[in-house]
Amino acid sequence: MYFLIYASTARPHLDEAELNRLVSRSEQFNASVGITGLLMRDGDRLTQLVEGPEGAVRDLADRISKDTRHSGYTVLIEGPTAEAAFPHWSLQLASTDRLARLESKDDPIRVYLKAVRSRMSNHRHRRAIEHLLEFESPPAPIG
């Protein structure tokens, strides 16, 4: 099992309808190759955690890095992990309206992220989940 978090900037033409089409196609593809994860969008800022078999994650990361719907692709953290943080989400989307609700400690995604963080045995994976919980902060590589 391998995980990777990247950040990038959405191009202006990546509107909500196009993003929803992308997520729909990605859910099907991800499920077929054993990948799970969470994509967060705040305005033009994107952050995604991808996890699954190492080869599948690396192949997907390579495809994502070349996608013209965003720019500034930067891997923040990656590495092996013993378990998936999101075993039931082939791709979950949290966009601006959802992120506003993440301010609430009772938001289901926030509650889930905290539960995931508490059960992660891999220190780097826990830090990756913390990064998602602190999505309002500017992204920076995690060392």
Side-chain angles (χ1 to χ4, degrees), residues 10 17 19 22-23 25 34 44 50-51 60 74 84 87 89 94 100 104 119-120 141:
L19 184 61
L22 171 66
V23 168
R25 286 190 307 269
D44 66 351
V50 178
E51 57 192 6
L60 180 60
T74 304
W89 292 350
S104 164
R119 69 176 167 79
M120 288 285 103

mmCIF file with all atom_site columns, all heavy atoms in Angstrom, residues 10 17 19 22-23 25 34 44 50-51 60 74 84 87 89 94 100 104 119-120 141:
data_model
loop_
_atom_site.group_PDB
_atom_site.id
_atom_site.type_symbol
_atom_site.label_atom_id
_atom_site.label_alt_id
_atom_site.label_comp_id
_atom_site.label_asym_id
_atom_site.label_entity_id
_atom_site.label_seq_id
_atom_site.pdbx_PDB_ins_code
_atom_site.Cartn_x
_atom_site.Cartn_y
_atom_site.Cartn_z
_atom_site.occupancy
_atom_site.B_iso_or_equiv
_atom_site.pdbx_formal_charge
_atom_site.auth_seq_id
_atom_site.auth_comp_id
_atom_site.auth_asym_id
_atom_site.auth_atom_id
_atom_site.pdbx_PDB_model_num
ATOM 1   N N   . ALA A 1 10  ? -5.881  24.778 -10.208 1.00 0.00 ? 10  ALA A N   1
ATOM 2   C CA  . ALA A 1 10  ? -6.817  24.496 -11.296 1.00 0.00 ? 10  ALA A CA  1
ATOM 3   C C   . ALA A 1 10  ? -6.745  25.600 -12.341 1.00 0.00 ? 10  ALA A C   1
ATOM 4   O O   . ALA A 1 10  ? -6.608  26.781 -12.007 1.00 0.00 ? 10  ALA A O   1
ATOM 5   C CB  . ALA A 1 10  ? -8.237  24.385 -10.755 1.00 0.00 ? 10  ALA A CB  1
ATOM 6   N N   . ALA A 1 17  ? -18.854 21.826 -13.268 1.00 0.00 ? 17  ALA A N   1
ATOM 7   C CA  . ALA A 1 17  ? -19.383 20.751 -14.116 1.00 0.00 ? 17  ALA A CA  1
ATOM 8   C C   . ALA A 1 17  ? -18.250 19.856 -14.632 1.00 0.00 ? 17  ALA A C   1
ATOM 9   O O   . ALA A 1 17  ? -18.357 18.624 -14.608 1.00 0.00 ? 17  ALA A O   1
ATOM 10  C CB  . ALA A 1 17  ? -20.175 21.340 -15.287 1.00 0.00 ? 17  ALA A CB  1
ATOM 11  N N   . LEU A 1 19  ? -15.282 19.487 -13.270 1.00 0.00 ? 19  LEU A N   1
ATOM 12  C CA  . LEU A 1 19  ? -14.713 18.780 -12.124 1.00 0.00 ? 19  LEU A CA  1
ATOM 13  C C   . LEU A 1 19  ? -15.589 17.577 -11.756 1.00 0.00 ? 19  LEU A C   1
ATOM 14  O O   . LEU A 1 19  ? -15.065 16.492 -11.481 1.00 0.00 ? 19  LEU A O   1
ATOM 15  C CB  . LEU A 1 19  ? -14.558 19.719 -10.930 1.00 0.00 ? 19  LEU A CB  1
ATOM 16  C CG  . LEU A 1 19  ? -13.893 19.120 -9.696  1.00 0.00 ? 19  LEU A CG  1
ATOM 17  C CD1 . LEU A 1 19  ? -12.466 18.669 -10.001 1.00 0.00 ? 19  LEU A CD1 1
ATOM 18  C CD2 . LEU A 1 19  ? -13.894 20.120 -8.555  1.00 0.00 ? 19  LEU A CD2 1
ATOM 19  N N   . LEU A 1 22  ? -14.943 14.853 -14.219 1.00 0.00 ? 22  LEU A N   1
ATOM 20  C CA  . LEU A 1 22  ? -13.635 14.262 -13.924 1.00 0.00 ? 22  LEU A CA  1
ATOM 21  C C   . LEU A 1 22  ? -13.727 13.293 -12.742 1.00 0.00 ? 22  LEU A C   1
ATOM 22  O O   . LEU A 1 22  ? -13.207 12.173 -12.796 1.00 0.00 ? 22  LEU A O   1
ATOM 23  C CB  . LEU A 1 22  ? -12.619 15.366 -13.620 1.00 0.00 ? 22  LEU A CB  1
ATOM 24  C CG  . LEU A 1 22  ? -11.267 14.923 -13.081 1.00 0.00 ? 22  LEU A CG  1
ATOM 25  C CD1 . LEU A 1 22  ? -10.508 14.136 -14.130 1.00 0.00 ? 22  LEU A CD1 1
ATOM 26  C CD2 . LEU A 1 22  ? -10.467 16.129 -12.632 1.00 0.00 ? 22  LEU A CD2 1
ATOM 27  N N   . VAL A 1 23  ? -14.400 13.714 -11.688 1.00 0.00 ? 23  VAL A N   1
ATOM 28  C CA  . VAL A 1 23  ? -14.536 12.860 -10.498 1.00 0.00 ? 23  VAL A CA  1
ATOM 29  C C   . VAL A 1 23  ? -15.314 11.593 -10.840 1.00 0.00 ? 23  VAL A C   1
ATOM 30  O O   . VAL A 1 23  ? -14.922 10.490 -10.434 1.00 0.00 ? 23  VAL A O   1
ATOM 31  C CB  . VAL A 1 23  ? -15.195 13.635 -9.334  1.00 0.00 ? 23  VAL A CB  1
ATOM 32  C CG1 . VAL A 1 23  ? -15.614 12.701 -8.208  1.00 0.00 ? 23  VAL A CG1 1
ATOM 33  C CG2 . VAL A 1 23  ? -14.237 14.699 -8.807  1.00 0.00 ? 23  VAL A CG2 1
ATOM 34  N N   . ARG A 1 25  ? -15.583 10.007 -13.746 1.00 0.00 ? 25  ARG A N   1
ATOM 35  C CA  . ARG A 1 25  ? -14.713 9.096  -14.518 1.00 0.00 ? 25  ARG A CA  1
ATOM 36  C C   . ARG A 1 25  ? -13.618 8.512  -13.625 1.00 0.00 ? 25  ARG A C   1
ATOM 37  O O   . ARG A 1 25  ? -13.277 7.330  -13.729 1.00 0.00 ? 25  ARG A O   1
ATOM 38  C CB  . ARG A 1 25  ? -14.093 9.829  -15.702 1.00 0.00 ? 25  ARG A CB  1
ATOM 39  C CG  . ARG A 1 25  ? -15.065 10.102 -16.834 1.00 0.00 ? 25  ARG A CG  1
ATOM 40  C CD  . ARG A 1 25  ? -14.379 10.615 -18.081 1.00 0.00 ? 25  ARG A CD  1
ATOM 41  N NE  . ARG A 1 25  ? -13.533 11.772 -17.866 1.00 0.00 ? 25  ARG A NE  1
ATOM 42  C CZ  . ARG A 1 25  ? -13.936 13.044 -17.968 1.00 0.00 ? 25  ARG A CZ  1
ATOM 43  N NH1 . ARG A 1 25  ? -15.175 13.330 -18.282 1.00 0.00 ? 25  ARG A NH1 1
ATOM 44  N NH2 . ARG A 1 25  ? -13.088 14.034 -17.768 1.00 0.00 ? 25  ARG A NH2 1
ATOM 45  N N   . GLY A 1 34  ? -7.832  -0.350 -7.803  1.00 0.00 ? 34  GLY A N   1
ATOM 46  C CA  . GLY A 1 34  ? -7.609  -0.428 -6.357  1.00 0.00 ? 34  GLY A CA  1
ATOM 47  C C   . GLY A 1 34  ? -7.129  0.853  -5.703  1.00 0.00 ? 34  GLY A C   1
ATOM 48  O O   . GLY A 1 34  ? -6.498  0.813  -4.654  1.00 0.00 ? 34  GLY A O   1
ATOM 49  N N   . ASP A 1 44  ? -9.280  27.909 -6.816  1.00 0.00 ? 44  ASP A N   1
ATOM 50  C CA  . ASP A 1 44  ? -8.438  27.276 -7.838  1.00 0.00 ? 44  ASP A CA  1
ATOM 51  C C   . ASP A 1 44  ? -7.400  26.331 -7.236  1.00 0.00 ? 44  ASP A C   1
ATOM 52  O O   . ASP A 1 44  ? -6.598  25.750 -7.941  1.00 0.00 ? 44  ASP A O   1
ATOM 53  C CB  . ASP A 1 44  ? -7.761  28.329 -8.719  1.00 0.00 ? 44  ASP A CB  1
ATOM 54  C CG  . ASP A 1 44  ? -6.762  29.189 -7.963  1.00 0.00 ? 44  ASP A CG  1
ATOM 55  O OD1 . ASP A 1 44  ? -6.695  29.107 -6.716  1.00 0.00 ? 44  ASP A OD1 1
ATOM 56  O OD2 . ASP A 1 44  ? -6.053  29.966 -8.626  1.00 0.00 ? 44  ASP A OD2 1
ATOM 57  N N   . VAL A 1 50  ? -3.985  10.271 -2.734  1.00 0.00 ? 50  VAL A N   1
ATOM 58  C CA  . VAL A 1 50  ? -4.226  9.076  -3.536  1.00 0.00 ? 50  VAL A CA  1
ATOM 59  C C   . VAL A 1 50  ? -3.531  7.924  -2.824  1.00 0.00 ? 50  VAL A C   1
ATOM 60  O O   . VAL A 1 50  ? -2.399  8.071  -2.356  1.00 0.00 ? 50  VAL A O   1
ATOM 61  C CB  . VAL A 1 50  ? -3.621  9.251  -4.958  1.00 0.00 ? 50  VAL A CB  1
ATOM 62  C CG1 . VAL A 1 50  ? -3.824  8.007  -5.790  1.00 0.00 ? 50  VAL A CG1 1
ATOM 63  C CG2 . VAL A 1 50  ? -4.209  10.468 -5.650  1.00 0.00 ? 50  VAL A CG2 1
ATOM 64  N N   . GLU A 1 51  ? -4.193  6.772  -2.746  1.00 0.00 ? 51  GLU A N   1
ATOM 65  C CA  . GLU A 1 51  ? -3.587  5.616  -2.071  1.00 0.00 ? 51  GLU A CA  1
ATOM 66  C C   . GLU A 1 51  ? -4.014  4.334  -2.761  1.00 0.00 ? 51  GLU A C   1
ATOM 67  O O   . GLU A 1 51  ? -5.057  4.284  -3.396  1.00 0.00 ? 51  GLU A O   1
ATOM 68  C CB  . GLU A 1 51  ? -3.993  5.596  -0.589  1.00 0.00 ? 51  GLU A CB  1
ATOM 69  C CG  . GLU A 1 51  ? -5.491  5.564  -0.384  1.00 0.00 ? 51  GLU A CG  1
ATOM 70  C CD  . GLU A 1 51  ? -5.929  5.822  1.039   1.00 0.00 ? 51  GLU A CD  1
ATOM 71  O OE1 . GLU A 1 51  ? -5.102  6.153  1.902   1.00 0.00 ? 51  GLU A OE1 1
ATOM 72  O OE2 . GLU A 1 51  ? -7.135  5.675  1.286   1.00 0.00 ? 51  GLU A OE2 1
ATOM 73  N N   . LEU A 1 60  ? -0.886  6.662  -11.759 1.00 0.00 ? 60  LEU A N   1
ATOM 74  C CA  . LEU A 1 60  ? -1.912  7.698  -11.712 1.00 0.00 ? 60  LEU A CA  1
ATOM 75  C C   . LEU A 1 60  ? -1.291  9.067  -11.459 1.00 0.00 ? 60  LEU A C   1
ATOM 76  O O   . LEU A 1 60  ? -1.662  10.054 -12.101 1.00 0.00 ? 60  LEU A O   1
ATOM 77  C CB  . LEU A 1 60  ? -2.952  7.384  -10.639 1.00 0.00 ? 60  LEU A CB  1
ATOM 78  C CG  . LEU A 1 60  ? -4.073  8.418  -10.499 1.00 0.00 ? 60  LEU A CG  1
ATOM 79  C CD1 . LEU A 1 60  ? -4.857  8.560  -11.794 1.00 0.00 ? 60  LEU A CD1 1
ATOM 80  C CD2 . LEU A 1 60  ? -4.989  8.036  -9.338  1.00 0.00 ? 60  LEU A CD2 1
ATOM 81  N N   . THR A 1 74  ? 2.658   19.634 -7.465  1.00 0.00 ? 74  THR A N   1
ATOM 82  C CA  . THR A 1 74  ? 3.752   19.455 -6.513  1.00 0.00 ? 74  THR A CA  1
ATOM 83  C C   . THR A 1 74  ? 3.401   18.337 -5.549  1.00 0.00 ? 74  THR A C   1
ATOM 84  O O   . THR A 1 74  ? 2.366   18.400 -4.878  1.00 0.00 ? 74  THR A O   1
ATOM 85  C CB  . THR A 1 74  ? 3.980   20.748 -5.690  1.00 0.00 ? 74  THR A CB  1
ATOM 86  O OG1 . THR A 1 74  ? 4.221   21.824 -6.587  1.00 0.00 ? 74  THR A OG1 1
ATOM 87  C CG2 . THR A 1 74  ? 5.149   20.596 -4.731  1.00 0.00 ? 74  THR A CG2 1
ATOM 88  N N   . ALA A 1 84  ? -4.991  1.752  4.182   1.00 0.00 ? 84  ALA A N   1
ATOM 89  C CA  . ALA A 1 84  ? -5.611  2.852  3.448   1.00 0.00 ? 84  ALA A CA  1
ATOM 90  C C   . ALA A 1 84  ? -6.352  3.763  4.420   1.00 0.00 ? 84  ALA A C   1
ATOM 91  O O   . ALA A 1 84  ? -6.995  3.298  5.354   1.00 0.00 ? 84  ALA A O   1
ATOM 92  C CB  . ALA A 1 84  ? -6.583  2.313  2.414   1.00 0.00 ? 84  ALA A CB  1
ATOM 93  N N   . PRO A 1 87  ? -10.528 3.554  2.613   1.00 0.00 ? 87  PRO A N   1
ATOM 94  C CA  . PRO A 1 87  ? -10.759 2.294  1.902   1.00 0.00 ? 87  PRO A CA  1
ATOM 95  C C   . PRO A 1 87  ? -12.092 2.217  1.161   1.00 0.00 ? 87  PRO A C   1
ATOM 96  O O   . PRO A 1 87  ? -12.245 1.402  0.263   1.00 0.00 ? 87  PRO A O   1
ATOM 97  C CB  . PRO A 1 87  ? -10.687 1.245  3.017   1.00 0.00 ? 87  PRO A CB  1
ATOM 98  C CG  . PRO A 1 87  ? -11.000 1.990  4.268   1.00 0.00 ? 87  PRO A CG  1
ATOM 99  C CD  . PRO A 1 87  ? -10.457 3.370  4.054   1.00 0.00 ? 87  PRO A CD  1
ATOM 100 N N   . TRP A 1 89  ? -13.631 4.985  -0.384  1.00 0.00 ? 89  TRP A N   1
ATOM 101 C CA  . TRP A 1 89  ? -13.796 6.122  -1.291  1.00 0.00 ? 89  TRP A CA  1
ATOM 102 C C   . TRP A 1 89  ? -12.891 5.955  -2.496  1.00 0.00 ? 89  TRP A C   1
ATOM 103 O O   . TRP A 1 89  ? -11.701 6.208  -2.417  1.00 0.00 ? 89  TRP A O   1
ATOM 104 C CB  . TRP A 1 89  ? -13.420 7.424  -0.602  1.00 0.00 ? 89  TRP A CB  1
ATOM 105 C CG  . TRP A 1 89  ? -14.322 7.863  0.500   1.00 0.00 ? 89  TRP A CG  1
ATOM 106 C CD1 . TRP A 1 89  ? -15.538 7.344  0.844   1.00 0.00 ? 89  TRP A CD1 1
ATOM 107 C CD2 . TRP A 1 89  ? -14.079 8.930  1.419   1.00 0.00 ? 89  TRP A CD2 1
ATOM 108 N NE1 . TRP A 1 89  ? -16.058 8.026  1.911   1.00 0.00 ? 89  TRP A NE1 1
ATOM 109 C CE2 . TRP A 1 89  ? -15.184 9.004  2.284   1.00 0.00 ? 89  TRP A CE2 1
ATOM 110 C CE3 . TRP A 1 89  ? -13.026 9.834  1.592   1.00 0.00 ? 89  TRP A CE3 1
ATOM 111 C CZ2 . TRP A 1 89  ? -15.274 9.941  3.304   1.00 0.00 ? 89  TRP A CZ2 1
ATOM 112 C CZ3 . TRP A 1 89  ? -13.118 10.761 2.608   1.00 0.00 ? 89  TRP A CZ3 1
ATOM 113 C CH2 . TRP A 1 89  ? -14.231 10.814 3.451   1.00 0.00 ? 89  TRP A CH2 1
ATOM 114 N N   . ALA A 1 94  ? -14.335 17.100 -1.989  1.00 0.00 ? 94  ALA A N   1
ATOM 115 C CA  . ALA A 1 94  ? -14.753 18.139 -1.044  1.00 0.00 ? 94  ALA A CA  1
ATOM 116 C C   . ALA A 1 94  ? -14.393 19.464 -1.689  1.00 0.00 ? 94  ALA A C   1
ATOM 117 O O   . ALA A 1 94  ? -13.215 19.771 -1.863  1.00 0.00 ? 94  ALA A O   1
ATOM 118 C CB  . ALA A 1 94  ? -14.049 17.971 0.295   1.00 0.00 ? 94  ALA A CB  1
ATOM 119 N N   . ALA A 1 100 ? -16.232 24.961 3.524   1.00 0.00 ? 100 ALA A N   1
ATOM 120 C CA  . ALA A 1 100 ? -16.765 25.922 4.489   1.00 0.00 ? 100 ALA A CA  1
ATOM 121 C C   . ALA A 1 100 ? -17.371 25.186 5.674   1.00 0.00 ? 100 ALA A C   1
ATOM 122 O O   . ALA A 1 100 ? -17.227 25.606 6.819   1.00 0.00 ? 100 ALA A O   1
ATOM 123 C CB  . ALA A 1 100 ? -17.803 26.809 3.819   1.00 0.00 ? 100 ALA A CB  1
ATOM 124 N N   . SER A 1 104 ? -16.809 23.277 10.881  1.00 0.00 ? 104 SER A N   1
ATOM 125 C CA  . SER A 1 104 ? -17.582 22.660 11.951  1.00 0.00 ? 104 SER A CA  1
ATOM 126 C C   . SER A 1 104 ? -16.908 21.367 12.393  1.00 0.00 ? 104 SER A C   1
ATOM 127 O O   . SER A 1 104 ? -16.590 20.517 11.579  1.00 0.00 ? 104 SER A O   1
ATOM 128 C CB  . SER A 1 104 ? -18.997 22.351 11.466  1.00 0.00 ? 104 SER A CB  1
ATOM 129 O OG  . SER A 1 104 ? -19.627 21.447 12.356  1.00 0.00 ? 104 SER A OG  1
ATOM 130 N N   . ARG A 1 119 ? -6.146  6.270  13.816  1.00 0.00 ? 119 ARG A N   1
ATOM 131 C CA  . ARG A 1 119 ? -5.835  4.845  13.649  1.00 0.00 ? 119 ARG A CA  1
ATOM 132 C C   . ARG A 1 119 ? -4.634  4.580  12.742  1.00 0.00 ? 119 ARG A C   1
ATOM 133 O O   . ARG A 1 119 ? -4.224  3.445  12.580  1.00 0.00 ? 119 ARG A O   1
ATOM 134 C CB  . ARG A 1 119 ? -7.052  4.081  13.158  1.00 0.00 ? 119 ARG A CB  1
ATOM 135 C CG  . ARG A 1 119 ? -7.480  4.363  11.760  1.00 0.00 ? 119 ARG A CG  1
ATOM 136 C CD  . ARG A 1 119 ? -8.658  3.466  11.365  1.00 0.00 ? 119 ARG A CD  1
ATOM 137 N NE  . ARG A 1 119 ? -9.296  3.898  10.163  1.00 0.00 ? 119 ARG A NE  1
ATOM 138 C CZ  . ARG A 1 119 ? -8.844  3.664  8.937   1.00 0.00 ? 119 ARG A CZ  1
ATOM 139 N NH1 . ARG A 1 119 ? -7.734  2.997  8.753   1.00 0.00 ? 119 ARG A NH1 1
ATOM 140 N NH2 . ARG A 1 119 ? -9.502  4.103  7.886   1.00 0.00 ? 119 ARG A NH2 1
ATOM 141 N N   . MET A 1 120 ? -4.062  5.619  12.150  1.00 0.00 ? 120 MET A N   1
ATOM 142 C CA  . MET A 1 120 ? -2.919  5.435  11.257  1.00 0.00 ? 120 MET A CA  1
ATOM 143 C C   . MET A 1 120 ? -1.675  5.088  12.067  1.00 0.00 ? 120 MET A C   1
ATOM 144 O O   . MET A 1 120 ? -1.316  5.808  12.991  1.00 0.00 ? 120 MET A O   1
ATOM 145 C CB  . MET A 1 120 ? -2.630  6.714  10.459  1.00 0.00 ? 120 MET A CB  1
ATOM 146 C CG  . MET A 1 120 ? -3.634  7.034  9.368   1.00 0.00 ? 120 MET A CG  1
ATOM 147 S SD  . MET A 1 120 ? -3.440  5.973  7.918   1.00 0.00 ? 120 MET A SD  1
ATOM 148 C CE  . MET A 1 120 ? -4.786  4.856  8.135   1.00 0.00 ? 120 MET A CE  1
ATOM 149 N N   . PRO A 1 141 ? 5.617   21.363 0.852   1.00 0.00 ? 141 PRO A N   1
ATOM 150 C CA  . PRO A 1 141 ? 6.082   19.970 0.975   1.00 0.00 ? 141 PRO A CA  1
ATOM 151 C C   . PRO A 1 141 ? 6.305   19.591 2.439   1.00 0.00 ? 141 PRO A C   1
ATOM 152 O O   . PRO A 1 141 ? 6.775   20.396 3.228   1.00 0.00 ? 141 PRO A O   1
ATOM 153 C CB  . PRO A 1 141 ? 7.382   19.975 0.186   1.00 0.00 ? 141 PRO A CB  1
ATOM 154 C CG  . PRO A 1 141 ? 7.200   21.062 -0.812  1.00 0.00 ? 141 PRO A CG  1
ATOM 155 C CD  . PRO A 1 141 ? 6.408   22.133 -0.078  1.00 0.00 ? 141 PRO A CD  1
#
